[in-house]
């Protein structure tokens, strides 16, 4: 394991674990100067309320209290800002306070609209940006960057269904996190990310084309990705 290691816990639901996105982030760091050791507490369809109350089989607060984390990434339910705004605010604040009290740095992952309703994004973006400013907590604008990708490549379907990310989209999300955590160049990141199974054998996480990988890396490079470490120095 590399000398400089950052321990990251991803908390959320299928928007996070689809296509093994946390493992993609870790794989991207394999050859870099900073190693991102990622873990997750994710349950399909869950909200931060579920994670706080430890319902639906979640054990997030137990994980937070029993391990040392540098960053904790929060992915709330995709409809919470629209259908349950009070709880969006309440449980984001509760987790934000807990993570900071434990000495880690919270990061909020902005979600994206459903394929069938792209107009969701305006409300989602405002809700996340506002709460980030209120808490002085970093919000990574995944949904906004995703909408740029759709605008630039309208012929490509970045969805696996009406709401979940395709492999290309999960790769984009991983790039956003990798850039924020390390500020390293994206140029050498492969279009075919790998990991190892329990027997040490190579397992492929992605099978993107070189052209798609290059487009997504260029998009992230041209986007305003805030460096996590720099944000929390302010």
């Amino acid at each position: 394991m590399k000398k400089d290691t950052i321990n990251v816990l991803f908390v959320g639901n299928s928007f996070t674990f689809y296509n093994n996105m946390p493992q993609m982030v870790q794989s991207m760091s394999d050859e870099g100067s900073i190693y991102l050791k990622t873990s997750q507490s994710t349950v399909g369809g869950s909200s931060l309320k579920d994670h706080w109350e430890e319902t639906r089989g979640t054990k997030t607060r137990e994980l937070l209290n029993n391990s040392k984390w540098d960053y904790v990434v929060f992915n709330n339910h995709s409809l919470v800002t629209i259908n349950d705004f009070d709880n969006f605010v309440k449980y984001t604040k509760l987790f934000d306070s807990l993570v900071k009290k434990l000495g880690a740095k919270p990061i909020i992952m902005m979600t994206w609209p459903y394929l069938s309703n792209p107009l969701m994004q305006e409300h989602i973006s405002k809700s996340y940006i506002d709460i980030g400013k209120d808490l002085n907590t970093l919000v990574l604008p995944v949904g906004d960057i995703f909408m740029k990708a759709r605008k630039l490549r309208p012929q490509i379907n970045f969805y696996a269904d009406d709401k979940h990310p395709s492999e290309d989209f999960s790769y984009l999300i991983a790039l956003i996190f990798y850039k924020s955590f390390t500020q390293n160049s994206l140029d050498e990141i492969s279009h075919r990310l790998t990991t190892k199974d329990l027997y040490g054998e190579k397992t492929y996480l992605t099978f993107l084309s070189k052209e798609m990988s290059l487009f997504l890396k260029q998009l992230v490079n041209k986007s305003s990705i805030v460096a996590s470490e720099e944000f929390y120095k302010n």
Side-chain angles (χ1 to χ4, degrees), residues 47 50 62 111 217:
S47 66
D50 294 317
E62 181 178 324
T111 58
K217 287 186 284 189

Side-chain angles (χ1 to χ4, degrees), residues 6 40 77 198:
I6 294 175
Q40 59 180 292
H77 192 277
L198 292 175

Side-chain angles (χ1 to χ4, degrees), residues 16-39:
T16 290
F17 70 66
Y18 234 65
N19 303 306
N20 301 301
M21 189 276 291
Q23 287 89 340
M24 289 188 193
V25 175
Q26 182 167 303
S27 177
M28 288 177 179
S29 75
D30 281 346
E31 302 302 323
S33 59
I34 299 173
Y35 183 71
L36 300 172
K37 187 177 186 303
T38 64
S39 301

Side-chain angles (χ1 to χ4, degrees), residues 24-212:
M24 289 188 193
V25 175
Q26 182 167 303
S27 177
M28 288 177 179
S29 75
D30 281 346
E31 302 302 323
S33 59
I34 299 173
Y35 183 71
L36 300 172
K37 187 177 186 303
T38 64
S39 301
Q40 59 180 292
S41 177
T42 54
V43 175
S46 62
S47 66
L48 290 189
K49 178 182 179 182
D50 294 317
H51 285 276
W52 184 265
E53 297 179 348
E54 298 193 328
T55 57
R56 300 172 63 94
T58 63
K59 298 292 183 182
T60 301
R61 284 204 282 165
E62 181 178 324
L63 276 171
L64 286 172
N65 284 296
N66 293 337
S67 299
K68 176 68 175 177
W69 307 102
D70 296 299
Y71 294 100
V72 182
V73 177
F74 292 103
N75 153 221
N76 212 327
H77 192 277
S78 55
L79 293 175
V80 69
T81 60
I82 296 168
N83 294 340
D84 201 3
F85 187 78
D86 288 345
N87 277 337
F88 164 71
V89 173
K90 176 181 177 179
Y91 291 99
T92 300
K93 288 185 174 181
L94 284 171
F95 269 119
D96 184 82
S97 176
L98 175 61
V99 168
K100 289 174 179 174
K101 181 180 179 181
L102 293 171
K105 301 174 180 67
I107 295 177
I108 301 171
M109 183 179 106
M110 179 192 293
T111 58
W112 53 87
Y114 291 2
L115 177 62
S116 58
N117 187 9
L119 296 179
M120 289 167 58
Q121 190 59 45
E122 183 177 358
H123 179 75
I124 290 171
S125 296
K126 184 178 186 307
S127 300
Y128 278 88
I129 291 169
D130 286 350
I131 201 164
K133 289 179 179 177
D134 182 43
L135 298 173
N136 193 31
T137 294
L138 178 60
V139 174
L140 286 183
V142 172
D144 288 342
I145 295 172
F146 169 59
M147 294 302 283
K148 291 180 183 177
R150 291 191 67 195
K151 183 177 181 180
L152 291 168
R153 293 289 190 274
Q155 74 277 17
I156 296 173
N157 182 13
F158 286 100
Y159 290 89
D161 48 33
D162 190 47
K163 56 187 176 181
H164 292 105
S166 67
E167 181 181 78
D168 295 339
F169 183 13
S170 291
Y171 183 92
L172 171 61
I173 300 169
L175 286 172
I176 293 168
F177 282 112
Y178 177 81
K179 186 70 174 180
S180 181
F181 289 137
T182 70
Q183 288 300 294
N184 288 344
S185 171
L186 304 180
D187 294 344
E188 301 305 316
I189 292 177
S190 176
H191 61 297
R192 291 193 174 179
L193 301 174
T194 63
T195 187
K196 290 184 179 179
D197 64 19
L198 292 175
Y199 304 100
E201 297 294 327
K202 181 189 292 186
T203 300
Y204 284 91
L205 294 169
T206 62
F207 288 93
L208 273 70
S209 68
K210 290 183 179 179
E211 294 76 15
M212 176 58 73

